[in-house]
Amino acid sequence: MKLSTKSWMFFISVIVFQAILTVSFLSYYLHKLNKEEALKEIKEEGKLVSDNYYSWKRHIWKNLVTIKNNPSWNKFIGDFSHKNSDLNQKIDLQKVLNNIIEISNVSRLDYIVVRLNQITLQQQINPATKFSTELLSHFEKLTVEKQHPYIENKPINDQLSLVGSFFDKINEQLNIEIFLVKFLDQPFLKNLSLNRKAQNLFYLEAETGKKVNQQILSEVEIFGQMQDKLYETRLTVTFNQNQHNRIIQKIEDIETQKGSQKLYLVTFMPNQPYASRLILMYEVLF
């Protein structure tokens, strides 16, 4: 029994139609899977980065509490309270610095700053950190308002920094003030990620934040209104003239000269592996 030309055309049309449906379904499914994997990767990297940031805050906090509650520190302060007018000499501040280094784990910090009777002394912990007289002037402007340990994120010499501080009363007229400083600079940002391909930056809604990261912020597209969202993800954005996936996370509100400003932590991951996978998929299908 011979099939008519119309029947042959019908069967061929059905086969072609099924082939188109299959290719379309596979294309849609693989594209969706690729997108989900890209989103999963950037979200996981963003969580790791923010966890490491908060881990740093806990590290500083633990050091503050260790210093504050250490018996040798309390004895140290007690001995100070019985001293005479020579109390304001720098040699006494150096003893304070030495005592802090001895009883705490500050090796990963950048600076320890102590102040006594308007005299400020700093100890550089990280040898890779550049010191300048201008930096010292900013240390002299640091203020502490609470006797119990607390942490602030504030700009020092146009550099965002984590500053842990507290003060102890030596007598009714005199306090000793302690500051633990960690700069949120490029080495800090780099070490927030285990993935060497990831790139991180802070974005602050103030001029200081722009100065801190001006070499890369100039190439970051203006992201959408975060509003009340804690984070926002976006795929295939341009960063450093290449395509990346990105997550923006609201870290906290910090006080600046322009008032309260939102601080964001932005993480970029290369989109190239996912783009290459899509290209290969289309080559196979078509």
Side-chain angles (χ1 to χ4, degrees), residues 234-249:
R234 187 172 297 180
L235 302 181
T236 317
V237 299
T238 301
F239 175 67
N240 282 346
Q241 300 179 348
N242 293 307
Q243 295 298 304
H244 288 73
N245 301 324
R246 180 203 63 198
I247 182 169
I248 304 171
Q249 301 178 83

Side-chain angles (χ1 to χ4, degrees), residues 23 32 45 63 67 89 116 130 157 164 168 199 218 238 249 279:
V23 170
K32 181 173 178 291
E45 187 66 25
N63 274 284
I67 297 168
Q89 295 182 359
L116 183 66
K130 295 181 179 179
N157 194 23
D168 259 321
Q199 299 183 65
S218 60
T238 301
Q249 301 178 83
I279 293 173

Side-chain angles (χ1 to χ4, degrees), residues 29-38 274-275 277-278:
Y29 175 76
L30 293 176
H31 187 277
K32 181 173 178 291
L33 183 62
N34 199 52
K35 180 179 179 180
E36 289 174 350
E37 290 183 0
Y274 298 98
R277 186 187 301 175
L278 283 179

Side-chain angles (χ1 to χ4, degrees), residues 30 38 59 79 108 149 193 213 219 222 236 252-253 270:
L30 293 176
H59 175 71
D79 292 341
R108 297 164 62 198
S193 291
N213 296 292
E219 300 185 44
I222 303 301
T236 317
E252 56 190 321
D253 293 330

